[in-house]
Amino acid sequence: SNPFVPDGTNSNISNASIVDRHVLAHGSQERVVDNILRKDKEERPDLIILTPTCTSSILQEDLQNFVYRASIISDSNVIFADVDHYQVNEIQAADRTLEQVVRYYLDRLDRCYRQEKLDQFLTNAPSVNIIGIFTLGFHNQHDCRELRRLLRDLDIGINQIIPEGGSVEDLKNLPKAWFNLIPYREVGLMTAMYLNKEYGMPYISTAPMGAVDMAEWIRQIQKNVNTLTLSSSIKRVDYEHYIDGQTRFVSQAAWFSRSIDCQNLTGKETVVFGDATHAASITKILAREMGIRVSCSGTYCKHDAEWFKEQIQGFCDEILITDDHAEVGDMIAQMEPSAIFGTQMERHIGKRLDIPCGVISAPVHIQNFPLGYRPFLGYEGTNQIADLVYNSFALGMEDHLLDIFGGHDTKEVITKSLSTDTGLIWNPESRLELSKIPRFIREKVKINTEKLARQKGIETITVEVMYAAKEAFNS
């Protein structure tokens, strides 16, 4: 009888064969090593990275041994990406893998380099490494271009940009830079911490996003340059005049925040959600620079929760740390903000609730890779963010103009939303009445009406129920 089915039980379950994991792992070892060697001959890469899978973790395969065997025969360098995907997300894995690649190539250098003073192999003029720029990163290409412009204005050279556009053979030159710039905390921070520990390289992890943090970023650069020029003949720098000029004449965000257009947004409530870097920066820009209330700010980077909370403390009413998009959706439905600033996930939630959303972070869609120049960092980034914020709000005047010119939405009103039950029925008269309500308050009326119906145990919503809800909720 089948040992997994009790005697006397009629079951169609097939017999199970138990195979020792070491036997399976041995077969995997041969295939993995053969594949590495095959790719080595076909592609001739500089580096091959072996990453763990769910199966390899379950079987507890010794992937480091696989790498060791392959590296003996392969002409390419072979390393094992030692990340536990059961405990870390994709962002943490990328951060860890980049650090491992940098560590691998720098550890190959002669150990005597680490015993020498850092200034003995620094570049003659101030230079930096920009760490964390990715091909498919959210607006990373535009941000990198803006950072290049800023550093050129400040007479600071760029030693290397990694991983985008970099070469593994050039990683050995990373310690030649005076310090490192980490524009996004998600990927690059572990590498910067490693370089700081092993080579004494300072790093700046402030995201130059928004006028206030932009000025702080430049002042940190000034501090690092002046600290390292003490032992050289290079003059000390003062970037205050540059900060003033860029803030007043390049960035239009400060002017816009004082304009009547931005003041029209006073009292509007928003929800912000995304990766830690972008969500924290956008929250501070909305609250501190534009005077817009942030009802809730959150991030899916649970591993960076403490830093995130510290950054946005006092700039929002509530903080949400979660990687459950359903929880985010419920929060948005309950708060009913005027606008959302989040990822593509929040954009889809907003579409269901008829709430506009500006995308400010990954996960992204192809539409978040614009052909035009749209950085989020730097002084030009302040203009782009101001445009995004203003254009993300559905202003009441739009509905009146649409009504006047006959262009208002004539589609049937959608009554489903994340915050309501789907068992309620709107009769034809109530649907018609709801469609006459201006779009910018229609969703709130619908939600309040359904809320009253649930409280009263009403299954079919009529016009009378709508008026009762209006009196009950004063809407």
Side-chain angles (χ1 to χ4, degrees):
S1 64
N2 190 335
F4 298 103
V5 181
D7 291 338
T9 301
N10 185 11
S11 174
N12 293 324
I13 299 178
S14 301
N15 291 341
S17 299
I18 301 176
V19 181
D20 188 271
R21 66 178 178 85
H22 297 290
V23 176
L24 291 176
H26 180 73
S28 298
Q29 178 177 351
E30 299 302 325
R31 289 195 301 273
V32 170
V33 173
D34 289 345
N35 280 329
I36 291 176
L37 296 178
R38 178 173 58 82
K39 282 298 178 182
D40 177 47
K41 293 180 180 180
E42 291 176 356
E43 308 292 342
R44 313 300 297 176
D46 295 316
L47 174 65
I48 296 175
I49 302 177
L50 179 63
T51 62
T53 65
C54 294
T55 303
S56 65
S57 297
I58 293 172
L59 296 178
Q60 299 180 15
E61 294 176 325
D62 187 2
L63 298 184
Q64 188 64 60
N65 183 49
F66 295 5
V67 167
Y68 174 73
R69 285 194 54 196
S71 62
I72 295 175
I73 309 172
S74 172
D75 292 330
S76 305
N77 294 315
V78 185
I79 66 173
F80 170 53
D82 188 13
V83 292
D84 185 348
H85 57 275
Y86 282 113
Q87 297 183 8
V88 302
N89 58 31
E90 296 92 333
I91 292 175
Q92 292 171 281
D95 194 22
R96 170 64 175 157
T97 301
L98 178 60
E99 186 266 346
Q100 285 179 307
V101 173
V102 170
R103 181 188 295 269
Y104 174 80
Y105 280 92
L106 290 181
D107 281 351
R108 299 172 67 196
L109 295 175
D110 191 346
R111 296 289 177 179
C112 67
Y113 282 119
R114 301 197 184 184
Q115 299 172 3
E116 297 179 6
K117 292 183 179 180
L118 183 62
D119 58 9
Q120 288 182 329
F121 46 150
L122 291 177
T123 56
N124 293 327
S127 66
V128 298
N129 297 315
I130 303 177
I131 304 176
I133 301 295
F134 279 81
T135 306
L136 297 179
F138 180 75
H139 287 241
N140 276 195
Q141 302 298 316
H142 309 277
D143 288 344
C144 186
R145 178 177 164 188
E146 179 69 6
L147 291 180
R148 284 177 177 272
R149 182 190 73 80
L150 289 166
L151 293 170
R152 184 172 60 251
D153 289 349
L154 300 175
D155 291 325
I156 295 177
I158 297 177
N159 184 48
Q160 288 194 48
I161 300 175
I162 62 170
E164 166 67 18
S167 168
V168 293
E169 294 301 330
D170 292 334
L171 294 178
K172 62 180 181 294
N173 295 320
L174 282 173
K176 292 184 178 181
W178 287 32
F179 53 95
N180 295 311
L181 299 178
I182 317 300
Y184 321 106
R185 292 181 59 84
E186 286 66 40
V187 181
L189 191 57
M190 288 188 69
T191 301
M193 294 171 68
Y194 161 74
L195 292 171
N196 177 260
K197 178 181 178 181
E198 298 295 332
Y199 295 89
M201 297 182 69
Y203 65 88
I204 298 174
S205 59
T206 299
M209 198 180 307
V212 175
D213 283 347
M214 185 69 238
E216 173 60 23
W217 183 76
I218 294 178
R219 292 187 179 108
Q220 289 184 33
I221 290 178
Q222 174 182 299
K223 179 180 178 181
N224 278 282
V225 170
N226 287 336
T227 298
L228 293 171
T229 54
L230 293 176
S231 58
S232 67
S233 58
I234 299 177
K235 294 182 180 179
R236 291 172 60 84
V237 296
D238 185 352
Y239 295 137
E240 290 301 324
H241 181 71
Y242 178 79
I243 292 173
D244 179 65
Q246 293 287 305
T247 303
R248 289 199 294 160
F249 303 116
V250 175
S251 171
Q252 302 298 310
W255 166 84
F256 176 74
S257 65
R258 297 190 297 271
S259 70
I260 187 64
D261 294 303
C262 188
Q263 291 176 20
N264 285 335
L265 302 180
T266 302
K268 299 282 189 179
E269 295 187 19
T270 61
V271 165
V272 180
F273 194 84
D275 65 41
T277 297
H278 288 87
S281 295
I282 295 297
T283 298
K284 289 186 286 187
I285 291 171
L286 290 172
R288 181 171 60 189
E289 299 181 20
M290 303 184 75
I292 298 173
R293 178 181 174 185
V294 180
S295 300
C296 182
S297 180
T299 180
Y300 52 77
C301 298
K302 297 194 294 184
H303 61 283
D304 216 5
E306 292 306 315
W307 176 87
F308 182 78
K309 292 176 182 178
E310 178 184 334
Q311 289 294 305
I312 64 172
Q313 192 67 42
F315 293 112
C316 62
D317 298 338
E318 297 183 22
I319 299 175
L320 178 64
I321 310 295
T322 182
D323 55 9
D324 183 355
H325 70 275
E327 186 177 353
V328 178
D330 290 340
M331 176 270 293
I332 293 173
Q334 292 168 9
M335 291 193 167
E336 303 173 29
S338 300
I340 308 167
F341 297 97
T343 72
Q344 278 291 334
M345 300 296 293
E346 285 66 56
R347 177 174 170 269
H348 288 297
I349 292 170
K351 289 176 69 175
R352 291 182 60 188
L353 296 174
D354 199 22
I355 301 174
C357 177
V359 178
I360 53 98
S361 167
V364 294
H365 186 268
I366 184 64
Q367 65 184 188
N368 301 122
F369 293 89
L371 299 178
Y373 184 49
R374 295 184 183 177
F376 269 53
L377 303 184
Y379 287 107
E380 180 56 35
T382 64
N383 298 331
Q384 297 295 332
I385 292 173
D387 283 341
L388 175 69
V389 170
Y390 185 71
N391 293 327
S392 294
F393 283 93
L395 303 180
M397 184 60 70
E398 295 177 10
D399 286 275
H400 297 302
L401 291 174
L402 287 170
D403 284 330
I404 291 172
F405 294 104
H408 209 289
D409 182 12
T410 58
K411 294 181 181 179
E412 181 178 345
V413 177
I414 299 174
T415 59
K416 294 182 179 179
S417 73
L418 296 177
S419 62
T420 62
D421 295 333
T422 58
L424 297 175
I425 300 173
W426 289 69
N427 69 12
E429 291 78 13
S430 63
R431 284 178 175 271
L432 178 62
E433 188 71 18
L434 186 62
S435 67
K436 296 177 182 179
I437 298 174
R439 184 170 49 189
F440 64 99
I441 61 170
R442 185 188 301 161
E443 183 66 25
K444 184 175 182 180
V445 171
K446 177 175 66 68
I447 291 175
N448 285 343
T449 303
E450 293 185 348
K451 182 178 180 180
L452 178 71
R454 291 195 304 274
Q455 291 176 352
K456 302 291 187 180
I458 300 172
E459 296 183 356
T460 301
I461 295 177
T462 63
V463 175
E464 288 73 19
V465 176
M466 293 179 65
Y467 282 111
K470 180 179 181 181
E471 290 187 13
F473 297 104
N474 193 25
S475 59

